[in-house]
Amino acid sequence: MFPPLQGAHWGGIASASLLAFFAFIGFEDMVNVAEEVEHPRKTIPPAIVYTLIVATGLYVLVAISVLLAVPIDELSGSDEPLTLVFVNAPQAVQTGFAAVAVVVTVNGVLIQMIMASRVIYGMAQRGRFPSPFAMLSPRTQTPTIATAFVAASIMGLSLFLHIERLAGWTSQIVLAVFVCVNLSLIAIKRKTRQRATTTVCTSLYHYSAF
């Protein structure tokens, strides 16, 4: 059954959807570093599919495990539902879980830094951003200035914004970017098709005139 069309539950559904979308942002990041792969046409498409399948499977298994370990009423009333699974666990297990959470969070931030710096680098190469952001390190051949700019921006935002709000804003911005990119691709495809049709008609006209 579908939930009622009116009610406060839609706010929770929207927030959960944004957080779920944030969890899958990393798949788009692979495309932004495709030019750094030796054979992108061969490796990137299956990598996206395999990663999507594995990550979705892990999310589903984690959700099932949490629901089996903790009653749903306790989960819905907690701001940190996953920690309830380890409340009665030994201290070593709790410490290990906290360490894993820190590593995963830092890894997510690093991935976003790599993705955003490559986007800024590409824009700078095409004159859409100041030229210094297109500079590469002589040793690593990576956009160091763009990476430093992204790192400083992330640290500044994380100091003044709550992590949940920051994740929500990130999801909204990325979702808006996805919509704009797909609309742009549709427009480019239509222009290409119109140009091809015009070329064919012109060729037929000249051929019939000849």
Side-chain angles (χ1 to χ4, degrees):
M1 296 180 62
F2 293 99
L5 295 179
Q6 295 180 350
H9 53 273
W10 286 107
I13 294 174
S15 300
S17 299
L18 286 174
L19 290 177
F21 181 78
F22 178 80
F24 284 90
I25 286 178
F27 299 103
E28 182 266 345
D29 296 343
M30 288 190 287
V31 180
N32 290 312
V33 296
E35 61 182 6
E36 301 178 34
V37 180
E38 291 186 358
H39 305 288
R41 292 181 179 273
K42 180 180 179 181
T43 57
I44 292 297
I48 294 176
V49 175
Y50 295 153
T51 308
L52 181 62
I53 294 174
V54 172
T56 302
L58 291 175
Y59 284 143
V60 171
L61 290 176
V62 170
I64 294 175
S65 301
V66 173
L67 290 172
L68 291 176
V70 182
I72 187 65
D73 295 335
E74 296 184 20
L75 291 174
S76 60
S78 175
D79 294 332
E80 300 176 350
L82 195 58
T83 59
L84 297 177
V85 180
F86 301 93
V87 170
N88 298 321
Q91 185 61 38
V93 175
Q94 296 184 22
T95 303
F97 173 74
V100 170
V102 171
V103 172
V104 170
T105 302
V106 173
N107 180 69
V109 174
L110 291 176
I111 291 175
Q112 296 305 310
M113 289 173 56
I114 293 173
M115 181 273 296
S117 63
R118 269 55 177 182
V119 171
I120 293 176
Y121 165 75
M123 294 176 65
Q125 271 193 326
R126 291 162 177 79
R128 306 294 183 180
F129 231 68
S131 57
F133 290 101
M135 296 177 59
L136 296 176
S137 170
R139 186 173 63 88
T140 62
Q141 293 298 305
T142 55
T144 51
I145 296 179
T147 303
F149 173 75
V150 172
S153 301
I154 291 176
M155 286 189 291
L157 291 172
S158 62
L159 290 174
F160 299 102
L161 295 176
H162 191 273
I163 185 64
E164 185 176 354
R165 179 179 298 180
L166 188 59
W169 286 1
T170 302
S171 299
Q172 294 172 8
I173 293 173
V174 174
L175 184 58
V177 170
F178 283 176
V179 172
C180 293
V181 169
N182 283 279
L183 291 177
S184 300
L185 291 174
I186 294 173
I188 292 173
K189 188 173 182 178
R190 286 184 175 180
K191 287 184 178 180
T192 303
R193 186 178 301 171
Q194 292 175 356
R195 190 179 298 113
T197 303
T198 303
T199 302
V200 171
C201 292
T202 304
S203 300
L204 291 175
Y205 172 78
H206 288 296
Y207 177 78
S208 61
F210 177 78

